[in-house]
Amino acid sequence: MAPQELRYDGQVVVVTGAGGGLGKAYSLYFGERGASVVVNDLGGSFKGSGSDSRAADVVVEEIKSKGGKAVANYDSVADGEKIIDTAIKAFGRIDILINNAGILRDVSFKNMKDADWDLIMTVHVWGAYKCARAAWPHFRKQKYGRVINTASAAGLFGSFGQTNYSAAKLAQVGFTETLAKEGLKYNILANVIAPIAASRMTETVMPPDVLENLKPDWVIPLVGVLVHSSNTTETGGIFEVGGGHMAKLRWERAKGGLCRADSTFTPGSVLAKWKDVNDFSKPSYPTGVANFMELLEEAQKLPPNEPGEDIDFKGKVVLITGAGGGLGRSYALLFAKHGAKIVVNDLVNPDTVVKEIRDMGGEAAPSKASAEEGDLVIKHTIDAFGRVDVIINNAGILRDKAFNNMDDKQFKQVMDVHLRGTYKISHAAWPYMLKQKYGRIVNTTSTSGIYGNFGQANYAAAKCGILGFSRALAREGAKYNIYVNTIAPNAGTNMTRTIMPEEMVQAFKPDYVAPLVVLLSSDKCPDPTGRLYEVGSGWQAQTRWQRSGGHAFPIDVKLTPEAVAQQIEKIVNFDDGRADHPTDPAEGLKSILANFENKSKSGGSGGGEDWLAKIEEAKKAKAEGTPFDYDDKEVILYNLGVGAKRTDLPLVFEGDDKFQVLPTFGVIPTFNAVAPFSIGDIVPNFSPMMLLHGEQYLEIRKFPIPTEAKTISYPKLVEVVDKGKAGIVINGSTTKDATTGEDLFYNESTVFIRGAGGFGGQKQPTDRGALTRAYPPPKRAPDAVITEKTTEEQAALYRLSGDRNPLHIDPEFSKVGGFKVPILHGLCFFGISGKHVVQQYGMFKNIRVRFAGTVLPGQTLKTEMWKVGGTVVFQTTVVETGKLCIAAAGAELLEGGKGKL
């Protein structure tokens, strides 16, 4: 019996950012299934500029044309009350809120402007708050509401170049968990999803069937289940979804290291218990703060701590925000005791603590300013001591209020002091840390942020946002020896006095948190960066993600919410032995990517683990041959795609007596040729999304190259190499003249597949002469240099030669892949470099390159060439960035240098 269709008749759904992509797909789904839909879209660019009402209007018209009910709203999510008001005026109620609107302002942290930070926070955090806050009274009154907020892999794990976006997206987790706790008794359920649509790749060719699997169609059904009235239990959940795979995440807490909480408690004693701090052999799965009173009682039963290794901060300058009392003061005194120079920052009174430090013989300076005035605080630090080595972002305030009664000022004040203050201090210090290639930052989240907490929607959002920021910053800082960690402390302070009984305030001394902070800021910490620790009462424990094994739906069957509902128990099951612990975006994508081989018809890539036998079998497999016919039109189109000008008549005019095919055209006939094997059958854990196009070899076997021909290409497997954590697959392809049977071209393409190694294969590629040779440039000035500016239209033109990957043309697709604009095809700038060799030295019989980086259309390419005997060694650099895009390349010239342009 088929499951009953999930419908939303009589319900009203608000979808923000619904003019395109995921938001449009949500709107159409709810419209088709009986709901009245408010389609909100400002119509701005993905960077957040401009507005255009047409985006929302088109979606509304489409819903109405299918018999559905919908109205458009063109307000910014920053004016959430106007969006909700549209629902009430048009339809009299609101039942479901999908906070989907989003923009990107990706930029490295050192180049980030306050506007890049503030705009992301406004759209993602403030927008989600404003819409939810306006809907909340209606939800409570009708005792029904469903909320979906949107996080991302960047938020869950931190993403390079996205400190703003990572902060905003993880803020959604703390915010959602709090709404779930506050809403439960009113039948208001809130969940957060991290939808996966694409991933940044360094020049890879993705087949259309893979792109099909990254559509919104794979996200909508889960959301449909979570917001349906039949869901009465699943709330506060964090879901990863995309490509047919769905899984849930939760927090996992280590056993932790417990030290006696007294004067013998030192950073060295934490170091001695470091194994326990990170021991997940008997983990817990908390939804709130640890039992610190019980931990304190246990701690006091222990013998005095061994002092452990001495940790010295002599010559180091430590800045602590909010250090006039409480935790900050405790940190300041302990750092001073270990030899550091201290800058005591406090908005009210830094001077008392400065005096305490000086009285004990230490060096300290005051900074009386808000953490939001980061530039001023860092100026105070540099003026006092000439450098900054360690930052403890500790300043904070509380403005607790039930969400239904929270006002905009209370939300904004907490966000500004905690999250924006942490950003401002770190950002102002970053240039100094980069210059000295040294920095240690400890940021402060809280258990309210990690787990959500009643009456703290503002604080939870800010504190979880700090964790997302820290994880992204840790990725950017690592190579510069700048390490970033995050703590969730429990201590009795003036701030917690408003929510804790006085005896607990007295018992939970800040002194029992400080040793971990000092250790994390030192050079002795065994796990230097990117971690999260809960700490207090002499106890410290790492907390990390655990992800359920989830459920994988076959990608060749249309996914419905009914199918998801049948599998929801499996999706949320952490106890079936399949759960894992993702720590970065690549690991985060692993299960989704693995599902790309899951097809109902084929049953996936088959069982058995004898990869070596499979490789041998694949090597013997013969291709049927894929035809490709071309004439002067395809030749000219290709030549234009690699930068030929109207004045280059031999390349663009079929009537020129020297009309010719550029030799790199040899990659085109075989581009879409069908191989006699599947990569998923010859290496484990294959995912096209983890594939990088590493090297290309091309041999021209017939001169002159015909300007028109009917061809057939025969791909084959050449070699598979096991690099441990990755697999390397070398594909060969011979292109023949279909009429004469003569060879025209031979191509070899080397692809590097992350996560596909460890199958016991050969460790190094076979040396096969010119086919595998790398060409390091001679240690002298190049013999020739050609510089060429690509055009903004280069990728649009080149794709007409056969590579239709949307990554190179669709801004919506490229932006979710992490690129500001669509990137240029690797084989396009390969062709441009090859053209430079022909221009300078004439026709070559073979060419081999290593792809080393990406190129954006409009950037300038510089090809440097060295003639070494009959070979041209070359490399190509992107002038604007100074980075190589082609490296270790060489071309063997045709005897006599024929065919020079």
Side-chain angles (χ1 to χ4, degrees):
M1 188 175 131
Q4 192 175 352
E5 185 184 42
L6 298 187
R7 292 191 58 82
Y8 309 88
D9 300 294
Q11 293 197 319
V12 178
V13 182
V14 170
V15 184
T16 67
L22 203 45
K24 177 181 177 181
Y26 286 136
S27 300
L28 296 175
Y29 165 80
F30 286 113
E32 284 169 4
R33 289 187 177 234
S36 302
V37 186
V38 176
V39 179
N40 159 261
D41 203 280
L42 181 62
S45 75
F46 75 84
K47 285 185 171 182
S49 58
S51 61
D52 181 353
S53 67
R54 284 174 302 182
D57 292 339
V58 168
V59 179
V60 167
E61 286 311 309
E62 191 171 340
I63 292 170
K64 286 182 172 176
S65 73
K66 294 174 181 174
K69 296 179 207 153
V71 294
N73 171 280
Y74 318 118
D75 291 300
S76 162
V77 285
D79 299 313
E81 64 278 10
K82 293 181 183 174
I83 299 171
I84 303 305
D85 197 41
T86 299
I88 302 304
K89 282 180 176 162
F91 302 119
R93 61 186 288 128
I94 173 173
D95 299 278
I96 299 168
L97 169 63
I98 312 285
N99 275 318
N100 168 73
I103 58 167
L104 286 175
R105 290 288 280 256
D106 295 357
V107 62
S108 66
F109 192 56
K110 70 172 184 201
N111 295 327
M112 189 168 284
K113 305 282 189 292
D114 285 357
D116 298 318
W117 179 271
D118 292 337
L119 192 57
I120 289 285
M121 293 304 144
T122 298
V123 173
H124 292 273
V125 184
W126 183 249
Y129 154 73
K130 286 290 281 180
C131 292
R133 178 66 187 84
W136 204 254
H138 301 286
F139 288 159
R140 279 189 24 148
K141 191 175 175 187
Q142 69 206 20
K143 290 206 165 32
Y144 186 89
R146 298 290 184 268
V147 180
I148 294 288
N149 291 321
T150 309
S152 76
L156 299 177
F157 310 111
S159 180
F160 197 96
Q162 294 191 306
T163 48
N164 49 1
Y165 186 69
S166 297
K169 284 307 191 185
L170 203 57
Q172 293 303 296
V173 169
F175 179 59
T176 305
E177 289 172 326
T178 297
L179 295 189
K181 285 179 174 173
E182 290 202 32
L184 192 58
K185 71 175 179 179
Y186 300 102
N187 190 21
I188 307 170
L189 308 189
N191 289 285
V192 60
I193 61 162
I196 309 291
S199 174
R200 178 186 284 269
M201 287 160 292
T202 310
E203 202 40 57
T204 171
V205 179
M206 286 194 297
D209 61 324
V210 171
L211 301 172
E212 207 44 46
N213 305 330
L214 301 174
K215 296 270 178 77
D217 309 16
W218 296 105
V219 175
I220 307 299
L222 173 65
V223 171
V225 170
L226 292 174
V227 301
H228 194 261
S229 57
S230 59
N231 172 29
T232 56
T233 55
E234 196 55 60
T235 188
I238 308 156
F239 292 89
E240 198 179 68
V241 53
H245 192 273
M246 298 169 191
K248 188 177 180 182
L249 288 103
R250 66 177 178 181
W251 294 108
E252 180 177 79
R253 184 191 283 158
K255 181 183 84 174
L258 188 63
C259 301
R260 184 176 172 86
D262 65 8
S263 59
T264 67
F265 184 25
T266 65
S269 29
V270 179
L271 185 56
K273 297 268 176 95
W274 194 248
K275 198 173 167 195
D276 292 342
V277 174
N278 300 283
D279 179 3
F280 285 96
S281 62
K282 290 181 183 169
S284 56
Y285 300 97
T287 55
V289 65
N291 187 337
F292 280 102
M293 193 52 87
E294 194 177 281
L295 285 164
L296 188 61
E297 287 167 7
E298 286 297 312
Q300 303 307 33
K301 294 174 189 170
L302 296 172
N305 301 292
E306 295 292 328
E309 213 172 320
D310 189 42
I311 289 170
D312 184 18
F313 282 85
K314 196 175 176 190
K316 296 278 198 300
V317 177
V318 179
L319 162 66
I320 302 156
T321 67
L327 281 167
R329 170 182 171 271
S330 179
Y331 301 154
L333 295 175
L334 191 58
F335 273 111
K337 193 174 167 185
H338 285 268
K341 298 172 184 174
I342 311 296
V343 176
V344 178
N345 161 259
D346 200 89
L347 181 58
V348 181
N349 174 26
D351 297 321
T352 306
V353 176
V354 169
K355 183 175 185 303
E356 274 189 89
I357 292 168
R358 287 175 179 168
D359 287 349
M360 59 189 254
E363 288 184 72
S367 168
K368 189 173 181 178
S370 162
E372 291 175 78
E373 301 172 279
D375 297 323
L376 180 61
V377 176
I378 296 301
K379 182 181 184 302
H380 291 159
T381 306
I382 301 301
D383 287 350
F385 297 118
R387 59 185 288 129
V388 56
D389 299 286
V390 178
I391 293 171
I392 312 298
N393 279 309
N394 166 72
I397 58 168
L398 286 177
R399 297 288 184 271
D400 294 356
K401 205 66 146 189
F403 190 59
N404 199 55
N405 302 325
M406 187 171 285
D407 63 37
D408 289 358
K409 186 179 174 188
Q410 289 162 336
F411 191 89
K412 189 172 186 314
Q413 276 184 329
V414 168
M415 291 300 300
D416 283 350
V417 172
H418 290 272
L419 185 50
R420 197 171 191 276
T422 297
Y423 152 72
K424 285 293 286 180
I425 294 281
S426 306
H427 191 253
W430 201 250
Y432 296 99
M433 290 182 165
L434 285 176
K435 194 174 176 186
Q436 68 206 19
K437 285 202 169 45
Y438 186 93
R440 300 290 182 267
I441 300 175
V442 176
N443 290 328
T444 310
T445 182
S446 81
T447 48
S448 298
I450 306 169
Y451 307 114
N453 196 25
F454 277 88
Q456 294 193 308
N458 48 2
Y459 186 68
K463 285 305 198 185
C464 219
I466 285 170
L467 178 60
F469 169 67
S470 303
R471 287 180 163 172
L473 197 60
R475 296 194 187 284
E476 289 206 28
K479 70 175 179 180
Y480 300 106
N481 189 27
I482 306 171
Y483 298 149
V484 187
N485 284 290
T486 315
I487 59 159
N490 181 72
T493 65
N494 283 335
M495 193 164 102
T496 56
R497 200 163 248 121
T498 55
I499 52 172
M500 265 186 201
E502 186 58 31
E503 62 270 23
M504 289 173 79
V505 173
Q506 296 296 334
F508 297 148
K509 291 189 172 150
D511 301 4
Y512 305 153
V513 173
L516 174 67
V517 174
V518 171
L519 176 62
L520 291 175
S521 308
S522 76
D523 299 336
K524 297 277 176 78
C525 184
D527 300 299
T529 194
R531 300 283 185 97
L532 164 65
Y533 302 94
E534 294 182 59
V535 54
S537 298
W539 170 84
Q540 33 271 311
Q542 193 199 149
T543 301
R544 66 181 183 183
W545 289 123
Q546 186 189 45
R547 175 176 57 185
S548 69
H551 186 70
F553 295 91
I555 59 165
D556 56 347
V557 178
K558 182 175 168 60
L559 185 60
T560 65
E562 292 76 23
V564 173
Q566 287 184 309
Q567 299 294 342
I568 197 76
E569 293 303 319
K570 190 175 178 190
I571 292 167
V572 304
N573 186 345
F574 289 93
D575 303 320
D576 58 9
R578 297 182 305 128
D580 64 354
H581 304 93
T583 57
D584 62 40
E587 283 179 43
L589 289 167
K590 187 178 66 175
S591 302
I592 285 167
L593 304 178
N595 195 48
F596 284 4
E597 293 290 299
N598 176 13
K599 294 186 180 176
S600 63
K601 298 184 184 77
S602 66
S605 60
E609 295 300 323
D610 191 352
W611 298 105
L612 302 186
K614 290 179 179 181
I615 290 166
E616 288 312 308
E617 191 181 330
K619 282 181 180 176
K620 292 172 191 162
K622 297 277 188 277
E624 289 181 12
T626 305
F628 177 84
D629 301 346
Y630 70 90
D631 58 18
D632 54 22
K633 179 183 163 191
E634 277 75 28
V635 171
I636 293 169
L637 197 55
Y638 175 79
N639 292 346
L640 289 168
V642 295
K645 306 287 186 286
R646 63 184 175 83
T647 50
D648 298 327
L649 291 183
L651 299 180
V652 298
F653 177 40
E654 69 285 1
D656 189 273
D657 58 3
K658 290 184 180 173
F659 180 60
Q660 62 182 277
V661 182
L662 282 170
T664 50
F665 176 80
V667 300
I668 299 300
T670 189
F671 182 76
N672 287 309
V674 178
F677 63 91
S678 162
I679 295 183
D681 290 339
I682 57 171
V683 292
N685 309 318
F686 169 63
S687 158
M689 299 278 288
M690 307 302 275
L691 175 151
L692 304 174
H693 188 175
E695 295 170 338
Q696 185 75 26
Y697 171 82
L698 165 65
E699 189 179 308
I700 295 88
R701 291 184 169 173
K702 179 178 172 64
F703 290 98
I705 303 168
T707 55
E708 59 179 280
K710 293 182 185 302
T711 76
I712 301 182
S713 292
Y714 298 92
K716 64 175 183 177
L717 177 62
V718 176
E719 195 161 62
V720 182
V721 180
D722 184 351
K723 299 303 268 183
K725 290 188 176 176
I728 294 174
V729 176
I730 302 169
N731 301 295
S733 182
T734 304
T735 300
K736 292 178 175 287
D737 186 313
T739 310
T740 67
E742 289 179 284
D743 284 8
L744 296 178
F745 309 109
Y746 176 70
N747 278 275
E748 278 194 9
S749 184
T750 302
V751 295
F752 182 89
I753 308 156
R754 287 166 292 167
F759 53 87
Q762 65 186 73
K763 301 300 182 212
Q764 295 297 332
T766 309
D767 182 352
R768 292 178 291 116
L771 286 90
T772 53
R773 186 176 299 136
Y775 296 90
K779 294 192 181 343
R780 57 181 168 85
D783 301 321
V785 178
I786 294 181
T787 300
E788 178 174 346
K789 185 172 172 56
T790 62
T791 70
E792 302 281 348
E793 286 71 42
Q794 204 82 56
L797 192 54
Y798 183 81
R799 70 189 297 270
L800 299 178
S801 287
D803 184 347
R804 300 293 183 90
N805 182 349
L807 190 65
H808 306 295
I809 191 69
D810 180 1
E812 288 296 316
F813 189 87
S814 65
K815 88 179 178 192
V816 292
F819 298 102
K820 293 179 183 176
V821 297
I823 59 175
L824 198 55
H825 309 66
L827 288 176
C828 177
F829 56 83
F830 160 77
I832 293 171
S833 301
K835 181 184 64 165
H836 292 165
V837 174
V838 176
Q839 283 173 330
Q840 188 67 34
Y841 295 107
M843 198 62 77
F844 48 78
K845 56 188 180 186
N846 62 51
I847 183 171
R848 191 177 190 282
V849 305
R850 181 176 297 153
F851 294 110
T854 49
V855 179
L856 303 182
Q859 288 183 325
T860 308
L861 299 175
K862 178 175 75 174
T863 305
E864 298 170 289
M865 295 168 269
W866 294 261
K867 190 152 185 303
V868 182
T871 299
V872 178
V873 176
F874 67 97
Q875 63 182 24
T876 305
T877 306
V878 178
V879 172
E880 288 79 0
T881 64
K883 292 180 179 174
L884 285 171
C885 59
I886 285 179
E892 290 188 31
L893 295 172
L894 193 62
E895 289 78 4
K898 294 174 192 167
K900 187 170 173 181
L901 290 179

